[in-house]
């Protein structure tokens, strides 16, 4: 079978494996569903046992987390968030996901954050569009992920002229996402990756929208216009996810070594 | 001067003091503004040095955190969230605030969460009301805190008949807040206190609105209708804040004891 991602790492004569997966996934080690994919809209993956498949295949410690938590761990260890301990890694692509690290550790809690499914205020130029999320219609993922852009305009972002209103709409929705994250998880940095963000002209449009939605309440220069060290591009590019699986595998091996 | 709250605790022959304050406050111990109140809309408090005032007054370790983080710590140690490690404590009163604990520790990050200032989708029966937040107008605090209810109806919630649409509007906004928190910080429990929540009939109206806004995506029975162990009332009532200051003071004394 083809797994979303699997990486092995050797450390102290130990080998470990560490898949990372799109969500929702079960991360509670006390659950019978640990390591399974939950109610994803992605066809064919619902109910797949990711961690168990690897554990049966290899005789080694297995780490497991979401793809975005893995990318957050990699950007924290080697990338754009090396100098902070609290960060969000966002991916804006076929869906919208976010991994949240607090004191360097991914937060799980009830399950894990699913930041793509918050509800933004609708942009005035976008009120007619119903959104494409099968669960929520016009949640953030439903109006700002890649498929929403195509559903609205018939083209992906890079094919739209820079004067096309889609750029402004997209930047506003993603600025709202950043603002909601500042208000709820208060990260020291937000790293924005994924296919949609590979359009480099988008990031400078998002920062002033974050500032707009904060409304002058959060008195931190990091968040304000021109605060280009607060909302940043990944430094590890497309490799963040795979390198994050390596972090998980190294941590799993190190934990096993302590037993 | 009258401080928002101050508590002293003795432990191992040490005394410690621990104010807790409404936000925004500076919690970064490396900042020259540590222990100060920031840009609060509350008159007379902006720029007040809370922690420093106590530190100069008493020769003892001083802990410091937001009022809502203190209440969250108390409900976690002695109250409605004793059996989980990840929770949000909300207060819905003259303002709306939230303290977030991850693995039992308040998250600070850039500053601290300010969950009252997220933007809910406007309720269809409430589109004409502009909101009262001096920074954002119709952010959550601007449409759902006590002053918003009075501005909209001329009365506080307890004086409104249960058939008044304000009950439905209020429950919907607070259900959206809970849903946004599930999506961003994924708490194992949400504890809702404060003056507005003292109306006991409100909580059962909020739970189905949380479920509505989750839209079936989060596959956890804890969050669904009737999940009355997920969104709960405080067990410590009005004492949560003061008891939380006691937790902070005890922790400050214990840390000092380790030095």
């Amino acid at each position: 079978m083809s797994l979303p991602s699997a990486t092995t790492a050797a450390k102290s004569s130990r080998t470990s494996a560490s898949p990372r997966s799109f969500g929702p996934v079960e991360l509670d080690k006390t659950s019978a569903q640990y390591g399974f994919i939950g109610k994803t809209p992605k066809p064919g993956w619902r109910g797949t046992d990711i961690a168990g498949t690897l554990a049966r295949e290899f005789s080694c410690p297995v780490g497991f987390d979401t793809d975005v938590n893995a990318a957050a761990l990699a950007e924290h260890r080697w990338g754009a968030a090396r100098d902070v301990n609290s960060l969000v890694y966002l991916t804006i692509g076929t869906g919208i996901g976010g991994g949240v690290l607090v004191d360097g550790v991914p937060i799980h809690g009830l399950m894990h954050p699913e930041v793509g499914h918050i509800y933004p205020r609708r942009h005035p130029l976008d009120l007619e569009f119903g959104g494409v999320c099968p669960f929520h219609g016009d949640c953030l993922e439903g109006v700002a992920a890649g498929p929403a852009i195509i559903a609205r305009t018939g083209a992906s972002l890079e094919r739209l002229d820079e004067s096309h209103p889609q750029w402004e709409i997209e930047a506003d929705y993603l600025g709202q996402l950043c603002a909601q994250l500042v208000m709820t998880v208060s990260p020291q940095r937000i790293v924005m990756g994924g296919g949609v963000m590979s359009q480099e002209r988008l990031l400078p449009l998002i920062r002033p929208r974050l500032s707009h939605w904060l409304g002058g309440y959060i008195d931190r220069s990091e968040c304000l216009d021109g605060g280009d060290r607060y909302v940043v591009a990944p430094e590890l590019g497309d490799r963040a996810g795979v390198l994050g699986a390596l972090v998980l595998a190294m941590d799993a091996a190190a934990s096993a070594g302590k037993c």
Side-chain angles (χ1 to χ4, degrees), chain A:
Chain A
M1 74 182 278
S2 160
L3 290 171
S5 169
T7 304
T8 59
K11 188 175 182 182
S12 309
S13 311
R14 286 173 181 275
T15 300
S16 61
S18 184
R20 64 199 165 77
S21 171
F22 48 80
V25 291
E26 177 59 80
L27 300 174
D28 177 0
K29 292 189 177 176
T30 68
S31 165
Q33 296 296 305
Y34 172 73
F36 280 65
I37 294 179
K39 271 190 183 177
T40 175
K42 293 182 202 282
W45 284 103
R46 192 180 292 200
T48 303
D49 178 9
I50 301 289
T53 301
L54 271 192
R56 284 186 293 275
E57 197 70 23
F58 305 107
S59 321
C60 66
V62 172
F64 184 63
D65 214 316
T66 63
D67 49 0
V68 280
N69 276 342
L73 284 167
E75 290 289 344
H76 180 233
R77 188 154 317 184
W78 296 303
R82 286 192 302 278
D83 55 329
V84 298
N85 273 320
S86 156
L87 66 123
V88 178
Y89 176 92
L90 297 173
T91 179
I92 320 294
T94 57
I96 294 180
V100 181
L101 303 198
V102 172
D103 289 332
V105 178
I107 67 173
H108 295 158
L110 177 70
M111 190 172 77
H112 50 75
E114 280 284 353
V115 304
H117 298 275
I118 67 168
Y119 293 85
R121 291 267 172 98
R122 295 302 301 276
H123 191 279
L125 298 178
D126 191 44
L127 299 178
E128 302 301 317
F129 180 58
V132 298
C133 174
F135 288 94
H136 307 114
D138 67 347
C139 68
L140 186 81
E141 182 168 300
V143 297
I149 298 171
I150 292 172
R152 190 190 285 114
T153 66
S156 56
L157 200 55
E158 75 266 22
R159 300 185 60 184
L160 300 173
D161 187 83
E162 63 187 289
S163 66
H164 194 289
Q166 177 61 42
W167 288 94
E168 175 188 331
I169 293 168
E170 184 71 10
D172 183 63
Y173 287 143
L174 297 178
Q176 287 192 58
L177 170 59
C178 293
Q180 299 281 55
L181 290 168
V182 169
M183 295 302 186
T184 54
V185 299
S186 186
Q188 292 168 306
R189 188 157 301 150
I190 297 174
V191 183
M192 300 190 76
V196 172
M197 294 307 302
S198 67
Q199 298 306 304
E200 290 180 9
R201 77 168 84 143
L202 186 53
L203 198 57
L205 301 175
I206 292 170
R207 294 180 182 124
R209 297 314 294 165
L210 162 61
S211 187
H212 166 83
W213 288 102
L214 293 179
Y217 183 67
I218 302 294
D219 191 14
R220 299 287 166 147
S221 58
E222 295 95 323
C223 297
L224 302 180
D225 283 3
D228 58 3
R229 288 293 299 156
Y230 190 69
V231 181
V232 302
E235 287 187 7
L236 305 176
D238 294 343
R239 300 168 66 221
V242 169
L243 290 169
L246 191 63
V247 175
L248 288 165
M250 290 163 69
D251 288 351
S255 294
K258 284 184 201 148
C259 294

